[in-house]
Amino acid sequence: MKFNGTDAYVATPDMAVAVNAAIRLERPLLVKGEPGTGKTELARQIAGSLGLELIEWNVKSTTRAAQGLYEYDAVSRLRDSQLGDPRVGDVANYIRRGPLWRAFTAGEKVVLLIDEIDKADIEFPNDLLQELDRMEFFVYETGETVRARTRPIVVITSNNEKELPDAFLRRCFFHYIRFPDQETLARIVSVHFPGIKPALIRAALTQFFEIRETPGLRKKPSTSEVLDWLKLLLADDLAPEDLRRDPSEALPRLHGALLKNEQDVHLFERLAFIARGRRS
């Protein structure tokens, strides 16, 4: 069982090493990186490459760790008891299985994605330590212990919005997805847009990296955003020469795909104003 990327996902050598090391160690793979660098997609591609089912747990600010195990619907049970429903005699009818329970009891190995763990409360990772370490948990309402039949491949993503506890980090294999260099990004573009002209890729990525490396930029455009931008360039049938931008021009073509807040738009407008002033 080895991951080397897929036809739809360019995995760098260090990424492939990290994924395969986590699989061999049977440790959760903690993946960090800028938003839009393909952290969530990595879990999906691991599942697809290895022919495994993917179970996703999308974490929100209100998510509690216990929801990953199960939820007991006491309200529905009370309502059914008032209506004389015979199901109330078995509390198991009111247990909703969470993604960890489904992953633990799957008939074969699965990939479990815990997406954006840093969105939740700071205690959220600590509350999952024992379950992810021992691969089991106790259901108080039914008195049963749920144990993993086959240890799932666990992928945990984080956008670094919060620091994760040391005790949690110690149990994970860590990988940081660095922003790809121009050559790697060109390979990623070619995967998503087969047949795109190399000249257009060169012109677009040259301008993209100029934008991304502009001093003072509040939010740097990501991999997903350059793919959106290229999709629009192709839809408008633009040629490489159409992308050449004079410094005195305020904004790049279709800038809304790359610049996502008014501060960065104003930054480019100011830079263009300064360039026009130097010319006059």
Side-chain angles (χ1 to χ4, degrees):
M1 185 169 286
K2 193 171 183 181
F3 176 74
N4 292 306
T6 68
D7 292 340
Y9 191 90
V10 176
T12 57
D14 60 330
M15 178 188 289
V17 166
V19 171
N20 293 315
I23 293 173
R24 286 195 298 270
L25 291 172
E26 296 189 324
R27 296 273 189 179
L29 175 65
L30 175 61
V31 185
K32 291 188 178 182
E34 294 178 29
T37 49
K39 301 183 295 298
T40 302
E41 188 60 25
L42 173 60
R44 294 170 181 158
Q45 294 297 327
I46 292 171
S49 172
L50 302 179
L52 304 178
E53 178 189 357
L54 174 67
I55 296 176
E56 295 191 40
W57 185 13
N58 299 301
V59 177
K60 301 178 181 178
S61 60
T62 55
T63 303
R64 294 175 292 107
Q67 292 173 308
L69 309 179
Y70 68 92
E71 291 184 276
Y72 170 50
D73 191 355
V75 174
S76 292
R77 192 181 187 199
L78 174 61
R79 183 196 63 224
D80 289 348
S81 68
Q82 294 169 339
L83 297 173
D85 193 317
R87 293 185 305 160
V88 298
D90 186 358
V91 69
N93 290 324
Y94 302 92
I95 300 290
R96 296 175 183 170
R97 298 184 178 191
L100 266 73
W101 187 327
R102 299 199 306 273
F104 286 3
T105 57
E108 54 188 8
K109 185 181 285 291
V110 300
V111 176
L112 171 63
L113 168 63
I114 305 176
D115 201 23
E116 298 189 336
I117 194 171
D118 52 325
K119 278 187 175 179
D121 182 84
I122 189 62
E123 290 303 319
F124 181 93
N126 280 335
D127 291 342
L128 290 175
L129 284 180
Q130 180 171 309
E131 288 76 13
L132 291 176
D133 209 21
R134 297 184 182 179
M135 286 286 150
E136 66 177 41
F137 61 89
F138 185 71
V139 183
Y140 293 95
E141 290 77 5
T142 62
E144 65 179 310
T145 297
V146 177
R147 293 186 178 89
R149 297 175 186 172
T150 304
R151 197 177 186 99
I153 298 171
V154 181
V155 180
I156 303 170
T157 71
S158 169
N159 287 326
N160 251 349
E161 292 182 9
K162 293 190 188 80
E163 288 294 326
L164 300 175
D166 289 344
F168 181 80
L169 295 174
R170 182 173 64 81
R171 288 166 169 81
C172 298
F173 193 93
F174 174 74
H175 178 66
Y176 183 83
I177 299 182
R178 294 180 177 85
F179 194 83
D181 57 26
Q182 189 155 339
E183 180 182 348
T184 304
L185 192 53
R187 289 171 55 206
I188 293 171
V189 168
S190 297
V191 165
H192 286 268
F193 303 107
I196 187 173
K197 295 178 181 177
L200 181 59
I201 294 180
R202 285 194 299 272
L205 294 189
T206 297
Q207 186 172 129
F208 170 76
F209 277 99
E210 287 174 357
I211 293 168
R212 182 176 163 82
E213 293 162 11
T214 300
L217 200 64
R218 183 172 178 181
K219 188 215 172 288
K220 294 182 178 182
S222 67
T223 307
S224 62
E225 287 159 342
V226 73
L227 293 176
D228 286 345
W229 186 52
L230 276 162
K231 186 175 182 179
L232 292 173
L233 297 180
L234 290 170
D236 284 356
D237 198 25
L238 296 179
E241 52 271 18
D242 295 325
L243 300 182
R244 294 191 187 120
R245 189 168 64 90
D246 191 297
S248 62
E249 295 176 0
L251 295 164
R253 289 260 192 156
L254 301 164
H255 66 275
L258 301 175
L259 305 178
K260 296 303 177 74
N261 58 67
E262 64 277 14
Q263 293 92 334
D264 289 342
V265 171
H266 292 159
L267 171 64
F268 275 85
E269 290 173 341
R270 287 196 302 273
L271 292 174
F273 179 77
I274 293 169
R276 286 195 295 269
R278 287 173 179 168
R279 284 187 167 190
S280 58

